[in-house]
Amino acid sequence: MKNTLTFILNLVLGLGYLQAQNIEITGKVVDANSGAPIEFATVKLLDGESKEMIAGTTTDASGAILLTTQRDNFFIEISFIGFITQTISDFERDGRKVNLGTIPLPEDSELMDEVVIRGERSTTEFKLDKRVFNVGQDLSSTGASALEVLNNVPSVTVNIEGQIQLRGIGGVQILINGKPSVLAADGGNALGTITADMIDRVEVITNPSAKYDAEGTSGIINIVIKKEEKKGVNGSVTLNTGVPNNHSLGFSLNKRTEKFNLFSQLGIGHRTFPETFETINSNLSDQSYVRNTGDGEKNETFFNLILGTDYHINDRNVLSLTGNFAYELETEFSTGNFISENRFSGPIAGWVRDESTEATNPKWQYELQYKSDFSDNDDHYLLISALGSSFAKDQMSTFNNIAEFGETALQDRQKTDTDFGQAEYTFKADYTQPITEQITFESGGQYLITDVNNDFSISTLDDGIWVEIPERTNTFLYTQKVLGIYSTGAYEGEKFGLKLGLRVENTDLNTLLEQSDVENNQNFTNLFPTLHSSYKLANNFSIQGGYSRRISRPRLFDLNPFYNIRNNFSIRTGNPELLPELTDSYEITGILDLELISLSSSVYHRYITQTVENVTIFEDNVGITKPMNIGTNKATGLELNGKITPNDWLSLSADFNYNYFNREGTFEASPFDFTADQWSARLTSKFNLPADFTLELIGNYQSAYQTFQRNISGYALADIGIRKKIMKGKTILNLSVRDAFASRIFENETVQNNFSQYDYRLRGRFITLGLSYGFGKGEAMEFSGQKRF
């Protein structure tokens, strides 16, 4: 017992002696320019003779240092990315304490430039089953919206209505961060409040694996929103102004600690979209026609707020909560000058039709996600998420007809009212397990619920009282439930890779026109097999192949039978009996990657059944257009992508897509069979100029092409982007000119046996000047926010 007490006493005295010998080192690290504290700076305590590290730590939120050591011969090294490393060997001791005082770290301009250069990824990267387009390198997207960004992505085209095509074919599914989003819904202005500065990258998936939702016959486009993960405080502020009106302010702020990652983005703005138009409806039987020429403008004020947090429960488990609120206030005005005329007898009547529209579009989205990484492998994880969203639209349009000569059959005044609401819920689980280093298994499921209520009415003014037109007034109810489960297995060796998958989806669709009691119910189950393979023939050359089966279910506005009466002689309506498209897609791609040049070439084929096309029927000089299932479409295409960087100041990128298709089917008991083709090309030249200037020139060409009824004209356009980095890259000045020569004309003509319809529209040139400033540890955003074409 005595020996035990003696041992404990000696131990306590020894520990006290060692504690007494500890040297305590304190200090504070700040930015030499601003004096702001630097959090998470690395502090190393090094042995004075061997130079080996004795101890280390990082600074806290106030920039403070706290270290202890028993060594007498040591020095301190303090570093942080973007700053010049400081070594401190000359310091004073006060007994067993060393106070380093305030240590200013000056920014390293050369290192900052190196970091910026290394951080720039190639504009397009190729993965096994997708291509990744890095938005930050596209200078011409300054002040652009998500739709305009997509229009600059290889293989993707966006028309004036915001309809997106991939390799010349519609039926594209748009995802936000890999999930369906209210911001990409059909209602209102899809993708309107997402601006280029919010986007990290765009993923184009032409042959998705079974892991992805089978929706989208031509593939998937996934827009990935930026979310900063750097420790500390990071942020950016962007400011835009432009002609026509394009004024916006964007703000991003992130805070990363050991346990939490808090992120936020805010965008507000106002913009104007002017337009000139012309439509001609011709009755070829009696040689009469109605022409409408005019102009208009659309004004939008928008607000978008994203808030979210990642809670790192521990090293293996993360819980994320994200909320998004967007709001749009729209006003639209147009004046159409109508004339009714017979080519033999001359003018019949003339009138002016004025439109005034006001609408509000609030949008909500919220998501809870849990990810668990298993301890045996970082690629072994379980991901569970629940997502809810809602979108509402309250819109009223008034139309005033002013007769100039002759008699018209039109009402003097008309009004439309729309009260629209959509709720969507997505529940998803994904499990990934590596069996060996080469073999990986994936499985999961998704349940998607969409619920829509749309009240619509058309009224006329009768003796000062608005009277609804019963046959044009109704409530449209739409409910769709999709349950999908999948499994995939993949082998990735040193040279050869193979991925097989199968997805099963059940769709339950119900629509109801309440007032007229017209109901449409559909329930069907589909199998969607997928196959992907790759083989590396050499270190710089590989071949990829893929097959997938896809579905494109009718969208809400394809089913909704209400009329758009902006032009009473050119009306669009939906089709409640529309069936889904089904596509079998095959693709082979070769990729060559050399030091200065990279090339890829793809040959693809798609076989589409129950093809959906817009069909126009002509009655009493009125063209009524609605989507219908018209036969099959066999499309075969060639796509070429290339990039060459001959020196440090020049890079050239080119994309070419050729699409040949064969359409077969029957319409109104008459069979049809025709072949047609279309092609598009894009050339991007990027110049790194002196004084931190960068110039980008983009040329686009879209050929003319033919659909079931229409001949659509081609167009060429040019975009220009200029960037100037100042304050060592912390501030960026951007200037963009989109459609520099105002040559992007949307023109099409429908010609049938007894009628023809011509449509022309032009939006014109957009010029935007943007300023972006990055603070904390953040970098300046490359772009800011305009909206859509």
Side-chain angles (χ1 to χ4, degrees):
M1 183 67 178
K2 181 178 179 181
N3 291 335
T4 302
L5 292 174
T6 302
F7 171 77
I8 294 173
L9 180 61
N10 289 334
L11 179 61
V12 172
L13 292 175
L15 289 174
Y17 174 77
L18 289 174
Q19 181 67 27
Q21 298 302 308
N22 279 347
I23 299 174
E24 184 181 86
I25 303 164
T26 58
K28 182 177 182 180
V29 181
V30 299
D31 186 327
N33 291 334
S34 65
I38 298 178
E39 185 182 5
F40 295 111
T42 300
V43 183
K44 294 180 181 179
L45 194 66
L46 304 173
D47 186 273
E49 296 181 0
S50 67
K51 307 298 189 289
E52 294 181 354
M53 191 171 76
I54 304 169
T57 188
T58 58
T59 56
D60 63 16
S62 65
I65 300 171
L66 179 60
L67 273 173
T68 59
T69 182
Q70 298 174 22
R71 305 278 184 93
D72 287 324
N73 185 11
F74 62 86
F75 65 94
I76 299 107
E77 183 180 276
I78 304 172
S79 62
F80 191 72
I81 187 169
F83 293 83
I84 298 175
T85 299
Q86 299 294 298
T87 301
I88 304 173
S89 57
D90 185 13
F91 43 80
E92 296 182 359
R93 299 187 185 183
D94 182 8
R96 307 302 297 176
K97 292 186 178 182
V98 173
N99 188 349
L100 302 175
T102 299
I103 306 105
L105 292 188
E107 289 187 353
D108 187 340
S109 59
E110 294 183 4
L111 180 58
M112 288 292 288
D113 290 339
E114 290 175 5
V115 169
V116 171
I117 293 170
R118 283 198 296 268
E120 290 189 352
R121 297 160 289 176
S122 61
T123 301
T124 305
E125 299 177 55
F126 291 87
K127 307 294 185 181
L128 176 62
D129 59 351
K130 62 188 172 186
R131 282 174 295 159
V132 181
F133 178 78
N134 296 302
V135 174
Q137 303 309 302
D138 186 359
L139 305 191
S140 65
S141 288
T142 299
S145 73
L147 277 175
E148 292 168 308
V149 169
L150 290 180
N151 208 47
N152 282 337
V153 173
S155 310
V156 181
T157 56
V158 183
N159 69 12
I160 199 169
E161 299 288 354
Q163 295 173 337
I164 300 167
Q165 289 189 327
L166 183 56
R167 290 176 171 172
I169 298 178
V172 185
Q173 185 186 26
I174 307 298
L175 303 178
I176 307 293
N177 293 332
K179 304 177 185 67
S181 172
V182 67
L183 298 180
D186 293 317
N189 294 302
L191 303 176
T193 57
I194 299 179
T195 52
D197 59 293
M198 296 181 177
I199 302 172
D200 177 59
R201 64 188 186 274
V202 176
E203 298 175 345
V204 177
I205 311 169
T206 53
N207 258 322
S209 73
K211 182 175 182 177
Y212 291 95
D213 185 357
E215 178 67 38
T217 51
S218 61
I220 293 172
I221 296 176
N222 181 33
I223 300 173
V224 181
I225 304 298
K226 291 177 180 176
K227 186 175 73 171
E228 185 60 75
E229 292 284 358
K230 295 177 185 176
K231 286 188 175 181
V233 178
N234 316 283
S236 292
V237 178
T238 61
L239 180 65
N240 285 326
T241 187
V243 179
N245 290 331
N246 177 26
H247 315 299
S248 64
L249 173 67
F251 179 75
S252 173
L253 182 64
N254 305 83
K255 170 72 173 178
R256 178 74 162 90
T257 66
E258 292 297 327
K259 286 288 186 180
F260 285 95
N261 180 39
L262 307 174
F263 52 93
S264 62
Q265 288 188 338
L266 171 68
I268 56 175
H270 175 76
R271 51 249 176 144
T272 298
F273 304 98
E275 179 182 86
T276 59
F277 55 83
E278 179 181 10
T279 60
I280 304 174
N281 285 10
S282 298
N283 188 329
L284 303 181
S285 299
D286 62 9
Q287 294 300 305
S288 65
Y289 66 89
V290 176
R291 173 187 280 120
N292 173 29
T293 60
D295 53 54
E297 68 173 35
K298 186 174 186 177
N299 297 281
E300 298 176 340
T301 301
F302 71 94
F303 171 87
N304 191 6
L305 175 65
I306 299 175
L307 293 174
T309 181
D310 298 325
Y311 172 55
H312 296 260
I313 302 171
N314 51 43
D315 291 340
R316 296 288 177 179
N317 295 275
V318 180
L319 188 65
S320 301
L321 178 63
T322 305
N324 187 185
F325 173 69
Y327 188 85
E328 292 171 311
L329 176 63
E330 301 175 6
T331 59
E332 189 164 0
F333 308 95
S334 70
T335 300
N337 299 285
F338 286 81
I339 183 170
S340 174
E341 189 169 358
N342 188 282
R343 288 181 172 85
F344 298 121
S345 58
I348 300 171
W351 66 97
V352 176
R353 184 173 175 85
D354 292 329
E355 176 193 354
S356 177
T357 296
E358 294 183 357
T360 56
N361 307 320
K363 307 173 185 179
W364 290 91
Q365 181 157 305
Y366 37 91
E367 179 185 10
L368 180 64
Q369 178 177 286
Y370 170 72
K371 183 179 181 182
S372 176
D373 292 312
F374 294 87
S375 58
D376 58 333
N377 191 311
D378 287 339
D379 293 325
H380 185 193
Y381 65 87
L382 173 67
L383 185 66
I384 301 174
S385 65
L387 183 148
S389 65
S390 67
F391 166 61
K393 187 179 189 71
D394 186 1
Q395 176 175 299
M396 184 181 71
S397 301
T398 57
F399 303 91
N400 188 25
N401 298 306
I402 304 170
E404 293 192 326
F405 67 89
E407 294 184 2
T408 71
L410 296 175
Q411 297 288 335
D412 289 341
R413 297 194 69 183
Q414 292 177 297
K415 182 179 73 169
T416 64
D417 279 301
T418 301
D419 185 6
F420 174 87
Q422 173 176 320
E424 194 165 273
Y425 306 96
T426 305
F427 305 94
K428 191 174 182 180
D430 297 294
Y431 174 72
T432 300
Q433 181 180 14
I435 306 300
T436 67
E437 290 185 2
Q438 291 82 27
I439 300 175
T440 303
F441 170 79
E442 295 176 308
S443 187
Q446 176 178 288
Y447 188 46
L448 173 63
I449 305 171
T450 304
D451 193 3
V452 175
N453 186 317
N454 187 26
D455 291 332
F456 182 85
S457 67
I458 299 179
S459 307
T460 60
L461 193 63
D462 187 5
D463 292 332
I465 300 175
W466 288 107
V467 179
E468 290 185 352
I469 303 175
E471 61 270 23
R472 298 288 181 86
T473 299
N474 221 316
T475 299
F476 184 65
L477 304 179
Y478 167 95
T479 303
Q480 179 174 273
K481 301 175 183 178
V482 181
L483 174 63
I485 57 174
Y486 75 91
S487 288
T488 70
Y491 169 82
E492 291 191 53
E494 185 175 344
K495 289 190 174 183
F496 175 72
L498 179 66
K499 187 173 186 178
L500 298 171
L502 179 64
R503 188 179 187 94
V504 182
E505 288 191 351
N506 174 262
T507 304
D508 186 12
L509 173 65
N510 301 278
T511 67
L512 172 66
L513 287 167
E514 261 190 354
Q515 279 78 351
S516 52
D517 196 28
V518 177
E519 191 173 7
N520 177 32
N521 299 320
Q522 299 180 35
N523 189 292
F524 47 89
T525 300
N526 302 95
L527 299 178
F528 301 100
T530 62
L531 167 66
H532 294 83
S533 64
S534 65
Y535 186 74
K536 182 179 285 188
L537 297 173
N539 288 333
N540 54 13
F541 182 68
S542 61
I543 295 177
Q544 298 176 351
Y547 163 78
S548 66
R549 184 166 173 80
R550 309 286 299 163
I551 188 172
S552 181
R553 300 174 184 87
R555 302 175 305 166
L556 167 67
F557 287 94
D558 289 329
L559 297 168
N560 194 335
F562 298 133
Y563 288 85
N564 182 336
I565 62 167
R566 176 162 295 163
N567 180 347
N568 287 87
F569 292 87
S570 182
I571 294 173
R572 191 193 185 283
T573 183
N575 178 8
E577 298 180 356
L578 201 64
L579 300 174
E581 287 184 336
L582 291 168
T583 298
D584 289 283
S585 178
Y586 309 83
E587 181 175 348
I588 297 177
T589 301
I591 301 172
L592 176 65
D593 191 6
L594 303 176
E595 183 176 355
L596 299 179
I597 186 171
S598 61
L599 296 171
S600 74
S601 175
S602 299
V603 177
Y604 57 88
H605 177 76
R606 295 184 183 132
Y607 178 63
I608 306 173
T609 58
Q610 300 177 170
T611 305
V612 175
E613 283 217 34
N614 288 324
V615 177
T616 300
I617 300 171
F618 200 67
E619 298 176 357
D620 299 326
N621 286 344
V622 176
I624 301 175
T625 301
K626 67 178 179 179
M628 297 181 67
N629 296 104
I630 304 293
T632 62
N633 186 8
K634 300 174 184 177
T636 302
L638 170 67
E639 185 170 44
L640 302 173
N641 308 98
K643 181 176 181 180
I644 182 171
T645 310
N647 49 52
D648 293 338
W649 57 269
L650 173 65
S651 67
L652 299 171
S653 300
D655 306 291
F656 174 82
N657 184 65
Y658 175 78
N659 192 350
Y660 174 86
F661 49 93
N662 182 7
R663 294 283 284 108
E664 296 179 352
T666 300
F667 178 64
E668 294 184 341
S670 298
F672 65 87
D673 184 356
F674 72 92
T675 60
D677 62 2
Q678 68 178 110
W679 63 277
S680 62
R682 181 174 186 258
L683 177 64
T684 301
S685 305
K686 186 174 179 181
F687 304 87
N688 293 320
L689 305 177
D692 278 337
F693 275 97
T694 306
L695 171 67
E696 184 178 75
L697 305 175
I698 298 179
N700 280 282
Y701 180 76
Q702 173 66 58
S703 75
Y705 63 98
Q706 179 184 354
T707 66
F708 167 63
Q709 284 187 327
R710 289 176 173 75
N711 293 313
I712 299 172
S713 299
Y715 60 84
L717 67 95
D719 297 332
I720 302 172
I722 302 174
R723 174 190 297 162
K724 164 64 176 172
K725 294 183 178 181
I726 55 181
M727 296 175 61
K728 301 176 182 179
K730 285 288 185 179
T731 301
I732 295 175
L733 189 65
N734 296 296
L735 174 67
S736 74
V737 183
R738 291 191 297 283
D739 195 5
F741 303 104
S743 56
R744 191 184 185 196
I745 297 172
F746 295 85
E747 184 180 42
N748 68 79
E749 186 173 19
T750 301
V751 180
Q752 298 297 297
N753 292 330
N754 61 344
F755 77 94
S756 70
Q757 187 176 56
Y758 171 80
D759 186 29
Y760 166 95
R761 279 187 284 175
L762 173 67
R763 281 280 171 89
R765 182 185 303 107
F766 289 82
I767 303 174
T768 304
L769 178 66
L771 180 69
S772 176
Y773 170 71
F775 58 88
K777 303 183 185 72
E779 296 176 357
M781 292 183 184
E782 304 292 351
F783 311 104
S784 308
Q786 197 202 355
K787 199 178 174 183
R788 58 184 289 179
F789 264 64

